[in-house]
Amino acid sequence: MRPPFAPALLLLAAAGAQAMPIPAPPQFAAKSYVLMDANSGQVIAASAPDLHRAPASLTKLMTSYVVFHALKEGVIHLDDTALISERAWRMGGSRMFANLGSHVSIDDLLQGMIVQSGNDATVALAERVGGSEDAFVSLMNQYAGTLGLQNSHFLDASGDTDDRSHYSTARDLALLSRAIVAEFPEYLHYFSEKDFFWNKIHQKNRNDLLFTDPSVDGLKTGHTDSAGYCLVATAKRQDMRLIAVVLGAKTEKARAQYAGALLDYGTNFFESRKLYAAGALVAGVTVWKGAESSVPVGSLGDLYVTLPKGSGGDLHATVTASSGLIAPVAAHQQVGTLDVAVGDRVLARVPLYTLQAVPQGNLFRRLFDTVRLWFKK
């Protein structure tokens, strides 16, 4: 009997110049960093990517993610309002200076939280969505689990805590930022706003790269004494969207310089390439006793890889898929994997799914294939 999963090699047409030398990633006086290609999810460069660190106001990225889900699901709307409770009003640190007992729109609160990192706006949003901040934090940790953030745990919505049980990592924050970019492009404009004028108060976004690099359009800064200076920066350059996470820099200026250098490293020496569109045929798998003799399989999402510039000529993919399925076959059933490699280095391993359902065939087809399967054993 044939093995249930059989490998097959696909040669991917990828003309390119000779690969250019790739220098070592830049080194900084920061506690950790990650540079990720948002298209592929591949980490291009990293230093201590899984080191637990206090995320400070980068916590608000997870708060934003939960609020965006509440907007998507119709739990709240941008023109709804939230009460500024005494707890929200008494928050220290960065604030949008909302008045006690006032009702502020969700839209304004999002700007207050994201643009100027207002802790009062953050608590008001958490209480509006979750009913209480504690309940909202439970949602934050549930979504963190769903996203696969294995080294993150949140105790509050703003990051205004020194408790060591409130932590994240550069890798997890890159994954979270990638999810925000991919799932909620309609809200990315909040992260690129350079300033926010509200209630006769004008405050500037602390992400210095927004003012010096036109390709940068987000995402968030953070700082406490224990966390140091932190920044998640994202930039769209040609066909690449890069995410740079810097944790524990010594100064506000340094975090911007480090993130900028990482973004330059990514675009100077790497490229993002789309291999397959979502739902595109990658291979076919035999179907026994079905109305069709085979079923197309592919990726359910667009498949990108990140390559050193000029190395595309060495690109190849290996499909490992079931040697045969018994009808009925459901759509979106995982039946194998696709490994994409340059030379001997695997760049990506993604699951392959059936792209359509295959019902059982007629009685003759089922009997005929039953006999054929007997001889294959």
Side-chain angles (χ1 to χ4, degrees):
M1 185 175 181
R2 294 177 65 190
F5 288 89
L9 183 67
L10 299 177
L11 297 179
L12 301 174
Q18 183 176 0
M20 65 188 298
I22 305 296
Q27 299 299 311
F28 309 121
K31 298 299 183 181
S32 65
Y33 72 74
V34 158
L35 176 66
M36 177 181 286
D37 180 351
N39 289 332
S40 67
Q42 289 173 234
V43 172
I44 298 173
S47 175
D50 300 314
L51 177 68
H52 288 194
R53 294 288 302 169
S57 283
L58 298 185
T59 300
K60 297 182 176 83
L61 290 172
M62 178 55 76
T63 301
S64 300
Y65 185 79
V66 177
V67 174
F68 294 160
H69 264 286
L71 287 165
K72 178 181 179 179
E73 293 158 10
V75 176
I76 56 172
H77 304 87
L78 287 175
D79 57 358
D80 289 345
T81 62
L83 173 69
I84 304 302
S85 67
E86 184 170 352
R87 173 172 171 75
W89 179 71
R90 288 188 178 278
M91 289 296 295
S94 302
R95 301 175 62 199
M96 71 178 287
F97 299 103
N99 295 324
L100 174 63
S102 63
H103 288 80
V104 181
S105 73
I106 300 301
D107 181 48
D108 283 340
L109 289 171
L110 280 169
Q111 292 178 82
M113 176 178 69
I114 294 171
V115 180
Q116 62 209 54
S117 203
N119 293 333
D120 50 355
T122 304
V123 171
L125 284 167
E127 292 176 340
R128 178 64 176 81
V129 173
S132 69
E133 186 176 6
D134 287 344
F136 184 86
V137 170
S138 176
L139 290 175
M140 293 170 67
N141 286 313
Q142 289 180 54
Y143 276 115
T146 300
L147 290 172
L149 309 187
Q150 299 179 1
N151 290 289
S152 295
H153 185 258
F154 303 102
L155 295 179
D156 66 22
S158 64
D160 187 35
T161 177
D162 290 325
D163 193 312
R164 292 188 178 182
S165 295
H166 184 98
Y167 57 84
S168 190
T169 67
R171 188 194 307 274
D172 278 5
L173 290 165
L175 290 170
L176 171 59
S177 300
R178 183 187 183 217
I180 291 173
V181 169
E183 295 181 41
F184 301 108
E186 66 271 32
Y187 300 128
L188 291 184
H189 65 90
Y190 289 115
F191 298 98
S192 62
E193 293 180 15
K194 294 179 180 179
D195 51 19
F196 179 46
F197 187 83
W198 184 83
N199 199 22
K200 299 181 180 180
I201 300 172
H202 177 260
Q203 296 192 66
K204 189 181 79 167
N205 196 314
R206 296 180 179 87
N207 183 355
D208 291 345
L209 291 179
L210 292 176
F211 301 88
T212 60
D213 186 337
S215 70
V216 173
D217 54 4
L219 281 161
K220 191 74 186 71
T221 63
H223 172 257
T224 62
D225 289 343
S226 59
Y229 288 88
C230 307
L231 174 61
V232 177
T234 183
K236 185 73 167 63
R237 298 179 177 179
Q238 299 176 351
D239 295 329
M240 293 186 79
R241 175 170 285 282
L242 293 168
I243 297 169
V245 181
V246 174
L247 303 182
K250 293 182 179 179
T251 67
E252 185 173 345
K253 182 179 180 180
R255 70 183 177 190
Q257 290 178 336
Y258 299 164
L262 286 171
L263 295 173
D264 288 342
Y265 178 77
T267 51
N268 289 346
F269 300 106
F270 295 86
E271 60 181 314
S272 185
R273 183 166 296 181
K274 185 177 179 179
L275 300 184
Y276 295 100
L281 172 67
V282 173
V285 171
T286 299
V287 177
W288 302 100
K289 304 182 185 181
E292 304 288 342
S293 61
S294 67
V295 61
V297 301
S299 172
L300 298 184
D302 292 341
L303 174 57
Y304 288 85
V305 293
T306 309
L307 305 167
K309 284 188 174 179
S311 66
D314 298 326
L315 189 64
H316 62 273
T318 303
V319 173
T320 304
S322 172
S323 59
L325 302 170
I326 305 295
V329 175
H332 300 170
Q333 173 183 336
Q334 185 177 347
V335 293
T337 59
L338 175 71
D339 286 355
V340 182
V342 169
D344 296 330
R345 185 165 68 93
V346 176
L347 300 176
R349 174 169 292 165
V350 296
L352 293 176
Y353 299 89
T354 54
L355 300 177
Q356 65 187 47
V358 178
Q360 282 189 331
N362 58 33
L363 178 61
F364 173 78
R365 178 60 187 269
R366 297 200 303 272
L367 290 174
F368 182 68
D369 279 356
T370 298
V371 174
R372 292 176 66 196
L373 285 169
W374 284 343
F375 285 100
K376 290 183 68 66
K377 292 181 180 180

